[in-house]
Amino acid sequence: MSRKVVRTSKFRHVFGQPVKADQCYDDIRISQMTWDSNFCSVNPKFVAMIVDASGGGAFIVLPLSKTGRIDMSLPTVCGHTGPVLDIEFCPHNDNIIASGSEDCSVMIWEIPDGGLTSPLSDPVVKLDGHSKRVGILSWHPTAHNVLMSAGCDNVIILWNVARGEAVVRIDSVHTDMIYSACWNRNGSQILTSCKDKKLRVLDPRKGSVICEKDKPHEGSRPVRAVFVSDGKILTTGFSRMSERQVALWDPKNFGEPLTLQELDTSSGVLLPFFDPDTGIVYLCGKGDSSIRYFEVTDEAPYVHYLSMYSSKESQKGMGYMPKRGLEVNKCEIARFYKLHERKCEPVVMTVPRKSDLFQEDLYPDTIGPEPSVEADDWFSGKNGEPILISLKDGFVATTKNKEFKVIKSLMATTSSSSSNRQCDSAVREHRNPLPVYCVLMSLSVTNKLIILKTTALNK
């Protein structure tokens, strides 16, 4: 009789918890658009959300600390003439955000440090090049001022934002609408999923296909794909019977998936968020009320189910905080900003630990805000690995009374004999009882010392 062995993992007990009501962002009219983007972007300074707006498209940008009820008259970023479909903060400058819209344009905005005090309608740069609505934006992870945009015209454009020009235009690869597009860890490859049921890995500067996979999922619903560790690819999609699936692929051998798991029969597209530091992928379905998370490892079945965070209200969008914005003191390994119908609710993912010390295994060096290569150098062929930073600098040691208690007990047990010797010598040196009394008062910590004091005075 074989006994089932539970796989050991330090992330088995990760749990999600919503913040208290007063730390949410209330009374926000989240966009009603039926587009499968995140509708939210966050960084250590701001949270941005696409909102309903009359006569064009708009989104709001709030400092993280501005929680509670948001005033209806709050200034918005409102330069687009059509609804905004996607927004993303620049990873190298927390004050810069890009937006893509139905008006076929991409705009770059600079947000002042304290947030907006008046409506912002003039972008720093306006990028025109798409002939249909722009629904996907992604900043380059290591190159400064490089932005990728994908539109419903089946075209991917790589922009040099500093110059305001389209440097690479990939228009002959995709034969239908692009569902998702993302970079690998150092930005040397692009991964796309398309309505023509193909998964493609592209060379971004040449615009050529490195490898492709036909029908990663049998269903006709949208497929999402992200790079995970060791260059592998994780996809979410649907089976022929409309069951939601998650699969892991090795681009060196695209024939069969390393693993393919069926999840449920919901209809919402699963948005994957991968954390390279922990190897955890979070799946957030639009219209779901849950977040599933899995650990991606090198051992079969490669994608291991960990747990699920469930709530009562469904999510219209999801923002994912970069690692450098987390509270390492609380063993927080991820934070999501869940969009409801009328509010934004942060959800914190935590690994329970008893120790108050900095947890080295949970927080290896992570990607910092510093770019490793300039746009012109990257477009001319130079790659740059991410510049890593330690999160230990953000760790604040908590000082508790019990530490002092421990020290006191140590002092009482280990130094009682030496204290006795010191008191005896003090008694011998000072013949006058008054100085002896003063000396011993300053040393009187334990009962033993008090007894010594009285005997010395009697003498």
Side-chain angles (χ1 to χ4, degrees):
M1 181 176 172
S2 64
R3 180 180 293 176
K4 189 176 180 182
V5 179
V6 177
R7 194 181 71 88
T8 58
S9 168
K10 59 191 168 194
F11 302 113
R12 265 186 62 209
H13 302 291
V14 170
F15 67 96
Q17 200 169 19
V19 300
K20 293 177 182 174
D22 61 344
Q23 293 176 285
C24 295
Y25 306 85
D26 287 314
D27 217 13
I28 299 168
R29 294 168 300 161
I30 302 299
S31 173
Q32 300 295 316
M33 289 293 296
T34 55
W35 186 255
D36 287 329
S37 73
N38 299 344
F39 281 15
C40 180
S41 184
V42 292
N43 66 24
K45 273 189 185 179
F46 301 107
V47 54
M49 294 162 270
I50 302 174
V51 294
D52 265 342
S54 54
F59 60 96
I60 59 170
V61 181
L62 302 171
L64 285 188
S65 58
K66 191 178 175 63
T67 54
R69 186 179 174 280
I70 305 302
D71 197 338
M72 296 280 281
S73 61
L74 187 87
T76 60
V77 182
C78 51
H80 287 286
T81 57
V84 177
L85 299 179
D86 198 13
I87 50 176
E88 186 169 355
F89 277 110
C90 176
H92 308 126
N93 186 334
D94 288 343
N95 295 69
I96 299 295
I97 187 169
S99 60
S101 166
E102 272 199 359
D103 63 11
C104 312
S105 71
V106 177
M107 294 184 183
I108 313 297
W109 311 87
E110 184 169 10
I111 309 299
D113 271 337
L116 297 178
T117 54
S118 59
L120 188 60
S121 56
D122 293 324
V124 180
V125 186
K126 185 179 179 185
L127 306 172
D128 289 313
H130 288 282
S131 58
K132 290 186 179 178
R133 58 184 178 176
V134 182
I136 300 169
L137 296 175
S138 183
W139 290 93
H140 195 286
T142 61
H144 196 209
N145 289 330
V146 176
L147 178 70
M148 168 173 62
S149 64
C152 293
D153 49 5
N154 315 336
V155 174
I156 288 178
I157 298 178
L158 303 184
W159 305 89
N160 184 335
V161 174
R163 297 177 183 273
E165 61 183 17
V167 182
V168 177
R169 187 180 175 89
I170 305 173
D171 53 7
S172 58
V173 171
H174 301 92
T175 59
D176 213 327
M177 191 170 79
I178 300 164
Y179 285 142
S180 73
C182 69
W183 303 91
N184 65 348
R185 187 171 168 82
N186 69 353
S188 60
Q189 294 179 352
I190 290 174
L191 171 64
T192 65
S193 62
C194 182
K195 197 174 180 180
D196 62 9
K197 296 190 178 181
K198 286 190 177 179
L199 199 65
R200 296 177 175 89
V201 179
L202 308 176
D203 183 318
R205 285 164 288 217
K206 295 177 182 175
S208 57
V209 178
I210 298 171
C211 56
E212 66 179 22
K213 168 65 183 170
D214 197 25
K215 289 189 178 177
H217 297 273
E218 293 289 332
S220 57
R221 303 287 319 281
V223 170
R224 290 299 181 112
V226 289
F227 280 107
V228 293
S229 44
D230 299 326
K232 294 185 177 67
I233 293 169
L234 184 130
T235 59
T236 62
F238 294 80
S239 69
R240 206 169 271 172
M241 304 299 291
S242 290
E243 294 164 308
R244 291 200 294 196
Q245 298 176 324
V246 58
L248 190 70
W249 306 85
D250 186 350
K252 296 168 187 168
N253 181 15
F254 249 151
E256 291 295 321
L258 295 172
T259 181
L260 178 69
Q261 301 176 27
E262 291 184 350
L263 302 177
D264 56 25
T265 54
S266 295
S267 59
V269 175
L270 286 167
L271 309 175
F273 298 91
F274 179 67
D275 178 4
D277 300 337
T278 58
I280 296 178
V281 63
Y282 302 87
L283 303 183
C284 310
K286 291 207 81 168
D288 287 11
S289 57
S290 61
I291 302 172
R292 286 183 178 85
Y293 32 106
F294 300 78
E295 189 174 1
V296 181
T297 66
D298 293 330
E299 58 190 44
Y302 304 105
V303 179
H304 307 270
Y305 175 75
L306 290 172
S307 188
M308 179 168 68
Y309 163 76
S310 295
S311 60
K312 292 178 181 176
E313 295 185 71
S314 60
Q315 56 230 18
K316 294 179 66 67
M318 195 69 78
Y320 180 62
M321 175 66 82
K323 217 50 178 295
R324 57 194 174 88
L326 302 181
E327 291 191 54
V328 292
N329 274 61
K330 297 180 179 176
C331 294
E332 182 184 354
I333 59 166
R335 191 189 311 153
F336 291 93
Y337 285 72
K338 176 181 172 181
L339 302 186
H340 298 248
E341 198 82 26
R342 299 283 298 184
K343 75 171 182 177
C344 172
E345 177 187 51
V347 177
V348 174
M349 297 288 176
T350 310
V351 178
R353 290 281 169 97
K354 289 182 180 178
S355 172
D356 293 326
L357 300 175
F358 178 72
Q359 306 294 314
E360 300 272 359
D361 59 327
L362 296 184
Y363 302 106
D365 289 354
T366 191
I367 297 174
E370 196 68 32
S372 56
V373 61
E374 287 298 320
D376 292 334
D377 296 333
W378 184 81
F379 280 115
S380 61
K382 182 181 177 183
N383 285 326
E385 292 300 317
I387 297 176
L388 304 181
I389 59 169
S390 171
L391 292 178
K392 198 165 187 177
D393 301 335
F395 175 76
V396 180
T398 53
T399 308
K400 295 187 178 178
N401 290 335
K402 66 180 180 184
E403 293 172 0
F404 294 113
K405 286 177 186 174
V406 170
I407 294 168
K408 280 186 177 181
S409 64
L410 282 173
M411 285 176 67
T413 53
T414 60
S415 61
S416 59
S417 57
S418 62
S419 299
N420 288 345
R421 285 196 298 273
Q422 286 176 4
C423 293
D424 289 339
S425 62
V427 171
R428 282 194 300 271
E429 283 175 13
H430 299 277
R431 298 296 176 190
N432 186 353
L434 186 59
V436 173
Y437 180 82
C438 296
V439 170
L440 291 171
M441 276 295 285
S442 65
L443 291 171
S444 61
V445 179
T446 63
N447 291 334
K448 290 180 182 177
L449 294 181
I450 292 167
I451 293 165
L452 279 169
K453 177 188 73 177
T454 54
T455 54
L457 287 171
N458 289 335
K459 287 180 185 177

